[in-house]
Structures are given as structure tokens and as C-alpha cells.
């Protein structure tokens, strides 16, 4: 029985050694991949710095002014009156349906009793008689 226990311990020790060996190499591979990604990130940050410097150089106001002066005829820019620009006319709201939320606008009693979005769109909250009409029926 003792030899069987020793054999099981040796087999378990060999299994754990094999597992530790594989984990060690998997960890080393992950560390190598991580360092490669960090080098790529550093290279991209350097490229980004160069691109920002080029952008700042190309967008200097004096350089842009010179380019506009050279190419002003090709750009065909000129003064334009805002009212002279053709386009769709803005839609006017009718006077019969006042806009919700405009200054001086008071919603009806039914809509004041509602809470949330239903009061914003001027629809009744719950079915039933209008509160003002019920009050009018009670008072002779």
C-alpha cells in the first residue's frame, strides 16, 4: 500500500511540474506580446506627435492668408446677403394650435393634473370626463 501511495504522489508531482512548465512558457509568451504591443503604442504616439506638429505648421494663420490671397479667384467667394440665398422657407405654426411651453401659455386644468410627458404633448392622462366639465355640472 505504501508503494502505491508513493507512486500516486510521484505521478501527481510530475503532473504539477508539467502544468508549471506550460504556465511558465505561456506567461513568457504573454509578456513578450505585451512588450511588443507597448512598442507599437510608443511608435504610434510618436507618429501622432509628428502629425500634430505638421497640422500646426500647415494651419498657421499667415500661411493660410497667403493661400487665400493666391487662390481667391478660384474660390469664387464674395459677399452674400442672407435673405438672397435661395432655399426652403421656414414653416409657420398656425395660430389655432399654440406651441407647448411658450411664455404666457397655460395648459388646461386636465393637462395640469397630468405629470410627465403626457402633459407636454397636451393629451389626456387617463380616460374619463374633463375635470372642468364635471365642476360645471355640479355648480348650477
Amino acid at each position: 500500500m505504501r508503494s502505491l501511495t508513493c507512486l500516486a504522489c510521484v505521478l501527481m508531482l510530475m503532473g504539477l511540474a508539467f502544468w508549471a512548465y506550460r504556465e511558465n512558457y505561456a506567461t513568457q509568451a504573454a509578456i513578450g506580446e505585451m512588450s511588443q504591443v507597448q512598442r507599437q503604442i510608443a511608435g504610434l504616439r510618436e507618429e501622432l506627435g509628428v502629425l500634430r506638429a505638421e497640422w500646426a505648421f500647415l494651419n498657421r494663420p499667415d500661411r493660410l492668408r497667403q493661400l487665400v490671397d493666391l487662390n481667391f479667384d478660384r474660390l469664387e467667394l464674395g459677399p452674400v446677403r442672407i435673405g438672397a440665398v435661395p432655399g426652403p422657407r421656414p414653416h409657420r405654426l398656425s395660430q389655432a394650435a399654440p406651441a407647448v411651453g411658450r411664455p404666457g401659455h397655460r395648459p388646461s386644468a386636465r393637462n395640469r393634473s397630468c405629470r410627465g410627458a403626457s402633459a407636454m404633448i397636451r393629451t389626456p392622462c387617463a380616460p374619463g370626463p374633463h375635470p372642468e366639465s364635471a365642476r360645471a355640472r355640479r355648480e348650477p
Side-chain angles (χ1 to χ4, degrees):
M1 184 73 174
R2 188 174 196 154
S3 63
L4 188 61
T5 306
C6 285
L7 181 64
C9 286
V10 168
L11 287 175
M12 190 183 314
L13 181 65
M14 288 177 60
L16 287 173
F18 180 72
W19 173 80
Y21 176 80
R22 288 185 58 203
E23 286 298 314
N24 181 26
Y25 279 99
T27 303
Q28 287 179 2
I31 290 172
E33 184 179 341
M34 185 181 64
S35 64
Q36 181 183 6
V37 168
Q38 286 178 343
R39 281 192 302 272
Q40 287 177 347
I41 289 172
L44 290 173
R45 284 186 178 161
E46 185 177 334
E47 285 181 34
L48 183 61
V50 169
L51 289 173
R52 284 184 176 158
E54 287 179 359
W55 182 258
F57 179 76
L58 292 174
N59 285 321
R60 292 178 323 217
D62 57 338
R63 179 183 174 274
L64 293 176
R65 191 173 301 114
Q66 289 175 353
L67 287 174
V68 168
D69 290 341
L70 289 173
N71 298 312
F72 189 75
D73 295 335
R74 283 192 235 166
L75 293 175
E76 298 179 4
L77 296 177
V80 176
R81 289 184 47 194
I82 293 176
V85 176
R89 294 183 184 264
H91 179 70
R92 292 182 157 223
L93 295 174
S94 68
Q95 296 296 333
V100 176
R102 89 172 182 232
H105 172 71
R106 291 187 59 205
S108 67
R110 184 176 195 163
N111 288 336
R112 277 192 300 242
S113 66
C114 298
R115 296 177 188 253
S118 61
M120 296 292 291
I121 57 174
R122 298 180 53 127
T123 58
C125 293
H130 194 280
E132 290 178 353
S133 64
R135 191 176 336 135
R137 274 187 253 144
R138 285 186 212 141
E139 298 174 355

